[in-house]
Amino acid sequence: MAKEKTLYTCTECGGTSAKWLGKCPHCGAWNTLVETVPEAAAGGRNRYGARPHQPLAGAAAAVTALADIEAADVARTPTGIEELDRVLGGGIVEGGVVLIGGDPGIGKSTLLLQALDALQRAQMDTLYVTGEESGAQVALRSRRLGIEGSQVQVLAEIQLEKILATLDALRPAVAVIDSIQTLYSDQLTSAPGSVAQVRECAAHLTRAAKSGGTAIVLVGHVTKEGALAGPRVLEHMVDTVLYFEGDTHSAYRLVRAIKNRFGAVNEIGVFAMTERGLRGVSNPSAIFLSQHAEPVPGSCVLVTLEGTRPLLVEIQALVDSGGPSPRRLSVGLERDRLAMLLAVLHRHAGVACADQDVFVNAVGGVRISEPAADLAVILAIASSLRAKPLPRGFVAFGEVGLAGEVRPAPRGQERLREAAKLGFSVAVVPRANAPKRPIEGLEIHPVERVEEAMDVVRRLQ
């Protein structure tokens, strides 16, 4: 196939240039020219194998009323790893494209190799395309994971055209591309990992997945800020986006679904890194709760919701005397929201921390973004400031508004049942989340305002 001429297109104004320039000659914007391939001439086929758009006078395409389209459930194939299936929404979808990103060495390749081996043992054809390692290195990892003798097909290749030809010849049920940033197409002259190469390779692989029915998993690099490297359009192309989270120095890893066309978003899977690879954690709440012999000041257990799973996470706060510029630091929670909660605590509950350093941490490396953590954070801060621990078996959740009101959290009944199942006995919750029927073993204190919650805690201490 003849190599097409390369142009450089401005992402701001759409103007083109025959060579790369630092400044767009049309609009004057800097660093906006990206490599593109022009459309094929009329009557030919473009680089995706399709003919160009017909003239406006051509025949219109057939349309169908939404009510006449038969909606069917998507068939899923379990990967054999329960926590991964939970994040994917039940398993691999035929023709689906999954993008998974994470820090180097966090376990992306390990998890996917384990999943491919389990699928292959379930009599499914699998293909592992490695662009960063040799076949011998992949075999060495498989022996470390205890899956020697695996029949997973391995291809060490980075040229897109050869990979597409292999996919067309083998027609595997599941293929892993590790990683998308290492691939290059002969149609472009830029280096692998550039914006143009990543976009073009992802587009071709997505088209191959949809047309051939192969489920493709793309491994993506991340930037130093933690975002997926490459163009943002990469996340729009795929069906599912997963992020690996966690500290590489810790044994635990979290896989979070950021986007999922076939399942719930913000669903998480919890794994433990062992000598034999990643293993799912059946009771993830246990790793987010510190084991204290006796209740300690500044600790409050929160019942949070990650996707469809209630999790119990320990929120720790430390309030200490500060200097003229007291610090506000939070790990796993939003720092700006911490400043807002301190203002609410002062104005409506009379607890002043203006001259104190305040540190807040979510135990276990979990990141909490939902506002239902507000009440637990406030109670933990007040407990640390007064050096009085909260009662044993105490949990709390609820969003706190600027007027001091405690707002309900979604799916409060499930949160309370999860707390009772794990042996917690006292809960302070928004009044709107109070169950109509009592929950066995759990004493529930519904509140409407922050000052009410503080009064309840004082009575229980």
Side-chain angles (χ1 to χ4, degrees):
M1 184 169 57
K3 194 170 185 178
E4 299 183 44
K5 182 180 178 182
T6 300
L7 289 179
Y8 295 89
T9 304
C10 177
T11 58
E12 295 291 334
C13 67
T16 59
S17 171
K19 60 180 181 179
W20 186 88
L21 300 171
K23 182 178 180 181
C24 175
H26 303 282
C27 66
W30 286 91
N31 299 321
T32 58
L33 292 180
V34 296
E35 187 178 16
T36 58
V37 178
E39 293 292 336
R45 291 181 178 271
N46 62 20
R47 62 187 181 278
Y48 300 111
R51 293 188 181 278
H53 293 297
Q54 298 295 327
L56 293 177
V63 297
T64 307
L66 184 60
D68 297 334
I69 300 176
E70 182 180 355
D73 291 335
V74 180
R76 304 176 186 277
T77 303
T79 62
I81 302 176
E82 185 177 351
E83 290 296 304
L84 181 59
D85 290 338
R86 173 187 288 273
V87 180
L88 291 172
I92 294 289
V93 176
E94 181 180 346
V97 182
V98 179
L99 175 63
I100 181 169
D103 294 333
I106 203 167
K108 303 183 297 294
S109 301
T110 298
L111 178 63
L112 294 176
L113 190 59
Q114 289 179 252
L116 284 185
D117 180 71
L119 290 167
Q120 176 269 321
R121 295 179 190 276
Q123 308 304 314
M124 295 185 67
D125 294 330
T126 58
L127 176 65
Y128 186 88
V129 180
T130 172
E132 300 180 346
E133 299 175 305
S134 65
Q137 289 174 308
V138 175
L140 183 61
R141 181 191 295 119
S142 70
R143 292 187 178 89
R144 291 200 305 266
L145 299 177
I147 55 174
E148 60 271 5
S150 174
Q151 297 302 309
V152 174
Q153 302 295 310
V154 178
L155 172 65
E157 183 58 63
I158 61 174
Q159 185 178 354
L160 175 67
E161 286 74 19
K162 293 182 180 179
I163 295 173
L164 292 175
T166 304
L167 290 174
D168 185 60
L170 298 181
R171 296 280 179 174
V174 184
V176 170
I177 311 296
D178 188 6
S179 65
I180 187 64
Q181 274 82 12
T182 61
L183 303 191
Y184 76 94
S185 171
D186 274 343
Q187 300 300 309
L188 301 174
T189 58
S190 55
S194 63
V195 170
Q197 288 284 9
V198 171
R199 182 178 61 239
E200 290 298 307
C201 292
H204 281 286
L205 289 169
T206 301
R207 184 177 179 84
K210 303 302 180 185
S211 61
T214 297
I216 294 182
V217 182
L218 306 176
V219 178
H221 296 170
V222 294
T223 63
K224 60 183 180 181
E225 291 82 15
L228 280 166
R232 188 73 176 182
V233 71
L234 181 62
E235 298 181 42
H236 293 280
M237 289 181 184
V238 301
D239 300 309
T240 305
V241 180
L242 308 180
Y243 272 88
F244 249 101
E245 299 177 0
D247 187 355
T248 54
H249 301 291
S250 170
Y252 297 106
R253 307 284 191 271
L254 302 181
V255 180
R256 186 185 302 273
I258 303 300
K259 170 189 175 182
N260 195 346
R261 290 174 179 158
F262 306 114
V265 295
N266 288 326
E267 193 74 70
I268 69 166
V270 185
F271 297 89
M273 180 64 79
T274 67
E275 295 180 354
R276 293 292 185 175
L278 290 165
R279 296 288 183 267
V281 177
S282 58
N283 181 21
S285 294
I287 69 174
F288 302 130
L289 297 175
S290 294
Q291 302 298 323
H292 300 294
E294 294 293 335
V296 296
S299 174
C300 181
V301 176
L302 160 71
V303 190
T304 186
L305 202 64
E306 294 289 351
T308 60
R309 167 188 281 175
L311 286 179
L312 276 76
V313 179
E314 182 181 3
I315 303 296
Q316 292 182 340
L318 176 62
V319 180
D320 195 13
S321 58
S325 299
R327 289 178 291 175
R328 308 284 187 257
L329 178 64
S330 62
V331 178
L333 298 124
E334 298 180 22
R335 188 171 69 173
D336 292 340
R337 198 163 187 88
L338 172 60
M340 183 195 77
L341 293 176
L342 290 173
V344 172
L345 190 62
H346 180 211
R347 180 66 177 269
H348 298 286
V351 179
C353 299
D355 58 344
Q356 305 286 321
D357 289 335
V358 180
F359 307 96
V360 178
N361 176 45
V363 173
V366 65
R367 297 178 184 175
I368 301 173
S369 58
E370 67 163 351
D374 292 350
L375 187 58
V377 171
I378 280 180
L379 295 179
I381 292 172
S383 171
S384 176
L385 181 64
R386 294 171 175 168
K388 290 187 177 180
L390 295 170
R392 182 182 295 276
F394 181 90
V395 295
F397 63 86
E399 178 183 356
V400 175
L402 289 177
E405 77 278 13
V406 179
R407 300 173 180 240
R411 298 170 61 184
Q413 309 292 321
E414 295 183 30
R415 300 175 193 245
L416 291 173
R417 283 195 292 268
E418 180 72 12
K421 185 175 70 174
L422 293 177
F424 288 82
S425 56
V426 182
V428 173
V429 301
R431 187 171 298 278
N433 287 133
K436 296 180 180 178
R437 297 180 181 178
I439 297 178
E440 184 178 356
L442 187 62
E443 179 185 349
I444 300 173
H445 298 271
V447 296
E448 292 183 346
R449 298 191 56 79
V450 171
E451 50 267 37
E452 288 184 49
M454 301 296 293
D455 291 338
V456 170
V457 169
R458 290 192 190 97
R459 292 198 305 266
L460 293 174
Q461 285 176 330

